[in-house]
């Protein structure tokens, strides 16, 4: 007859110390170092109270019929070296707190129904020698932190999940094995899929694909401004910078100003990125009221540029290539530190 899980309650262990009752047994909170119950016909959920057994170094519950989620309290078991929950019916996400188990040498969560992303904290388990996550429903991208532990692994099985490329630099497709990528990004190579689009971004054709090169330019604006007095937060994503208009997966308008039209509470500073010239579909560019110091020489390559607003910065010169902007109708450069204008204007 299968044993149903008995939720923990106060009890006295055989050694006379305070205990908790699990699966019909009383385990000493102070002195229990291992629970070895493989293939024991256990059912029900793993209780949160298992996290009270802080001296536990082995928890082996494989080949049972345990259900529910892995309890968050598992992260309290700092002395655990062996955790094996293989071949149960566990669901939900792998707890982020599993990264607290820095003494783990073996972790087996294979053959369950776990879902969600692999937690980045898994990369903190630098003593790990064996990692089995295969045959679950894990999705998203594999965190690059996995590379912190991969080089020490003797066994690594992660196949038969729903993990999406690109994979971390330390893994090949052979290492990752078969993955169901049906729900992965539908964007072509060179384009990034962004599902959580900020309100400050207007996508005229409702696409979720964005040209990665255009996003990289926006990232350079963020990076170049970090030495300024009031930079955009370094954690800001490129798609979150200022206000943007996209169409056909390309950046059409970019507005980033402490005054009209965006009234942001941070400033761009330093050089406008040289890569600005790669924004070949850009039509309107508002960068007024910042602390920008220079304009790239290749700005004349922005053949579709119609409006350029650079007023209220610290720009000292204008490159002659600006005369190549044949579609430019509006150019504002007031309140800067110019000493001359190029002949091409």
């Amino acid at each position: 007859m299968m044993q149903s899980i008995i939720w923990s309650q106060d009890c006295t262990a055989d050694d006379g110390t305070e205990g908790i009752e699990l699966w019909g047994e009383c385990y000493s909170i102070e002195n229990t170092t291992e629970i070895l119950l493989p293939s024991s016909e256990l059912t029900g959920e793993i209780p949160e109270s298992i996290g009270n057994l802080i001296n536990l170094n082995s928890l082996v519950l494989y080949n049972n019929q345990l259900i529910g989620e892995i309890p968050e309290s598992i992260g309290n078991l700092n002395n655990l070296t062996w955790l094996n929950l293989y071949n149960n019916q566990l669901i939900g996400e792998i707890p982020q707190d599993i990264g607290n188990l820095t003494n783990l040498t073996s972790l087996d969560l294979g053959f369950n129904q776990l879902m969600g992303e692999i937690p980045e904290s898994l990369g903190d388990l630098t003593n790990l020698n064996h990692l089995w996550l295969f045959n679950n429903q894990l999705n998203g991208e594999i965190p690059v932190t996995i590379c912190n532990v991969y080089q020490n692994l003797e066994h690594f099985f992660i196949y038969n999940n729903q993990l999406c490329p690109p994979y971390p630099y330390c893994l090949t497709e052979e290492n990752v094995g078969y993955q169901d990528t049906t729900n992965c990004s539908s964007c072509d190579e060179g384009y990034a899929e962004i599902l959580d689009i900020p309100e400050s971004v207007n996508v005229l054709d409702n696409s979720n694909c964005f040209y990665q090169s255009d996003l990289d330019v926006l990232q350079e604006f963020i990076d170049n401004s970090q030495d300024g007095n009031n930079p955009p937060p370094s954690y800001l994503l490129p798609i979150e910078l200022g206000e943007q208009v996209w169409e056909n997966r390309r950046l059409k308008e970019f507005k980033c100003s402490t005054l009209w039209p965006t009234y942001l509470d941070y400033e761009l500073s330093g050089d406008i990125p040289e890569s600005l010239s790669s924004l070949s579909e850009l039509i309107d560019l508002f960068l007024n009221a910042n602390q920008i110091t220079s304009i790239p020489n290749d700005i004349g390559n922005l053949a579709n540029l119609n409006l350029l607003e650079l007023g209220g910065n610290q720009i000292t010169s204008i490159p002659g290539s600006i005369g190549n902007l044949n579609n430019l109708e509006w150019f504002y450069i007031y309140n800067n530190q110019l000493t001359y204008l190029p002949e091409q204007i």
Side-chain angles (χ1 to χ4, degrees), residues 105-283:
T105 60
S106 181
L107 174 62
D108 191 346
L109 304 178
F111 263 105
N112 281 285
Q113 300 170 33
L114 299 172
M115 59 189 67
E117 298 186 357
I118 298 172
E120 292 187 2
S121 62
L122 207 64
D124 295 332
L125 306 181
T126 53
N127 288 309
L128 211 57
N129 300 128
H130 311 280
L131 177 60
W132 291 275
L133 300 176
F134 63 101
N135 281 86
N136 279 287
Q137 299 172 30
L138 299 171
N139 54 43
E141 294 186 8
I142 302 172
V144 70
T145 54
I146 201 79
C147 295
N148 297 342
V149 302
Y150 180 72
Q151 61 183 357
N152 297 323
L153 294 178
E154 298 176 18
H155 298 99
F156 175 70
F157 298 110
I158 202 170
Y159 58 84
N160 282 351
N161 280 287
Q162 300 170 21
L163 298 167
C164 298
Y167 302 124
Y169 67 89
C170 60
L171 300 178
T172 65
E173 290 191 11
E174 183 178 359
N175 299 142
V176 173
Y178 171 76
Q179 302 292 330
D180 179 0
T181 58
T182 304
N183 295 319
C184 293
S185 173
S186 58
C187 299
D188 297 332
E189 185 176 355
Y191 294 84
E193 184 177 44
I194 301 176
L195 300 178
D196 189 12
I197 299 174
E199 292 183 2
S200 57
V201 175
N202 183 9
V203 183
L204 299 181
D205 55 356
N206 296 317
S207 173
N208 291 111
C209 298
F210 298 81
Y211 191 41
Q212 184 63 56
S213 179
D214 289 1
L215 292 170
D216 291 344
V217 176
L218 297 174
Q219 181 63 55
E220 285 194 57
F221 270 107
I222 297 172
D223 295 342
N224 288 0
S225 300
Q226 292 308 302
D227 291 333
N229 294 327
N230 186 27
S234 59
Y235 58 78
L236 202 68
L237 298 175
I239 198 67
E240 298 172 330
L241 183 65
E243 293 182 3
Q244 305 170 25
V245 176
W246 292 73
E247 186 177 21
N248 295 327
R249 305 183 294 183
R250 297 299 305 274
L251 184 62
K252 296 289 187 175
E253 297 180 19
F254 177 46
K255 303 175 182 179
C256 194
S257 172
T258 58
L259 298 178
W260 180 89
T262 54
Y263 298 99
L264 298 174
D265 58 3
Y266 53 78
E267 295 176 324
L268 300 179
S269 62
D271 301 334
I272 294 177
E274 291 287 341
S275 59
L276 182 76
S277 61
S278 67
L279 299 178
S280 57
E281 299 298 318
L282 191 65
I283 296 174

Side-chain angles (χ1 to χ4, degrees), residues 306-334:
N306 178 259
L307 184 150
L308 179 58
E309 163 65 280
L310 297 175
N313 282 285
Q314 299 181 23
I315 297 168
T316 57
S317 63
I318 302 173
S321 68
I322 205 159
N324 299 333
L325 300 176
N326 296 327
N327 289 313
L328 191 65
E329 294 184 11
W330 307 94
F331 178 37
Y332 302 94
I333 195 71
Y334 56 87

Side-chain angles (χ1 to χ4, degrees), residues 43-99:
T43 63
E45 299 184 3
I46 303 172
E48 285 284 345
S49 56
I50 202 164
N52 293 330
L53 302 177
I54 55 175
N55 291 313
L56 202 64
N57 57 52
S58 298
L59 178 59
V60 178
L61 303 175
Y62 65 82
N63 288 343
N64 284 292
Q65 296 185 29
L66 297 171
I67 62 173
E69 300 185 5
I70 300 173
E72 292 284 346
S73 64
I74 207 90
N76 298 336
L77 305 179
N78 296 328
N79 292 305
L80 209 60
T81 61
W82 184 14
L83 176 59
N84 192 329
L85 304 178
Y86 167 83
N87 196 25
N88 281 282
Q89 299 171 29
L90 299 172
I91 62 172
E93 299 184 358
I94 300 173
Q96 187 72 27
D97 286 348
I98 205 164

